[in-house]
Amino acid sequence: MRKRNESVTVEHERAASAAAAVPGPLDKGCSLRRSLRLPASAAAEGMKRPLGRRYGLWFRLRKLILWLLGMYIAIPFLVKLCPAIQAKLVFLNFVRVPYFIDLKRPQDQGLNHTCNYYLQPEEDVTIGVWHTVPAALWKNARGKDQLWFEEALGSSHPVILYLHGNAGTRGGDHRVELYKVLSSLGYHVVTFDYRGWGDSIGSPSERGMTYDALHVFDWIKARSGDNPVYIWGHSLGTGVATNLVRRLCERETPPDALILESPFTNIREEARSHPFSIYRYFPGFDWFFLDPITTSGIKFANDENVKYISCSLLILHAEDDPVVPFHLGKKLYNIAATSRSFRDYKVQFVPFHTDLGYRHKYIYRSPELPRILR
């Protein structure tokens, strides 16, 4: 009897376990859902991926910020240790815009009445010169050689020696447009690239630029006879112009007038006011950035030079000039107007309103320019 009961019990347990092994209608769905669930480790892995991506992006961004901050802090020390870097930034002679033009062929820029020369101010220094004759001589100038152009300087037309600013060459677009305007007004225009600019040979320096300008001025005077000769400087070229005219006045051979377009007071004030001076609020800005300029022998002290200049002075400046702030041109005028050296000469300041949009290099567009120059 006991054996029979035990066998019944064993069979009952087997049936129960078999029933548990075969899912019923409800258990079938539940077990299917359970089987579709991700393991706990896989779920945690899926959550880590977006977190990992966000963390990796933040890490790279933070690394970039730290690198930029390090560069920002390192650059002042680099400039202080290598003053030549600051000199390069002042001259920008390595920027040759527009690119891919042949400076030997000014006619390619629409200057069909222009001749290209090469002069040698010093040994191992050669400078490229353009001479544009007045528009009235355009037909006569076609096909003529350098000798004819040199002799033409003796014709009854005034001469403007144009001293361009930093960067670019004598073939810069806005410069070429000014030559055309001045030529149409009856002027000879003589311009050149300082040593180290364009196709001119030599290393740039303030002394060298001034000497180049002096050499070209003397070259013009030797051929122009009694014709008036005016000096026109633009931007950094105003520093060369006042250096030149001061020397001419000291040796008692002043030009007939000096024209300064977009001038500054001196290179330190210009560097401090320049829109690209992102370090102007940096502690020790003068020591890091301005002192190396002076150490390199670069001053361009227009405010000092005008105290020793004795000829008529015309200053042109646009109120919306983003490179040389308008207030520096106005300040230079105030210094010149009260200088004793100008007491017998006319000093004039002509502003151009912001609405005109002449900015730093488009004053040549002014329809008032012929009247102003007269």
Side-chain angles (χ1 to χ4, degrees), residues 72-114:
Y72 181 80
I73 295 172
I75 285 173
F77 291 94
L78 185 63
V79 170
K80 185 65 180 178
L81 292 172
C82 305
I85 295 175
Q86 193 71 321
K88 284 282 187 184
L89 294 176
V90 170
F91 297 137
L92 289 178
N93 59 301
F94 54 90
V95 179
R96 286 197 55 176
V97 289
Y99 298 100
F100 312 117
I101 70 168
D102 186 355
L103 293 171
K104 296 182 178 68
R105 294 177 52 81
Q107 59 268 31
D108 292 348
Q109 310 307 308
L111 296 170
N112 296 320
H113 50 315
T114 299

Side-chain angles (χ1 to χ4, degrees), residues 296-316:
S296 300
I298 304 172
K299 297 179 180 178
F300 292 114
N302 290 335
D303 50 355
E304 283 298 312
N305 288 337
V306 294
K307 298 175 183 177
Y308 300 91
I309 289 174
S310 51
C311 69
S312 296
L313 173 64
L314 171 63
I315 296 178
L316 311 172

Side-chain angles (χ1 to χ4, degrees), residues 338-350:
T338 57
S339 174
R340 292 168 59 184
S341 65
F342 283 105
R343 60 189 172 189
D344 297 326
Y345 300 94
K346 186 176 181 181
V347 179
Q348 186 178 3
F349 181 83
V350 180

Side-chain angles (χ1 to χ4, degrees), residues 9 12 19 22 55 57 61 76 80 85 128 196 200 216 223 231-232 235 260 269 279 298 300 341 351:
T9 304
H12 179 71
V22 179
Y55 178 77
L57 181 63
L61 182 62
K80 185 65 180 178
I85 295 175
S200 297
V216 176
R223 291 157 177 78
I231 310 295
W232 184 313
S235 192
L260 302 178
E269 287 196 0
Y279 288 94
I298 304 172
F300 292 114
S341 65

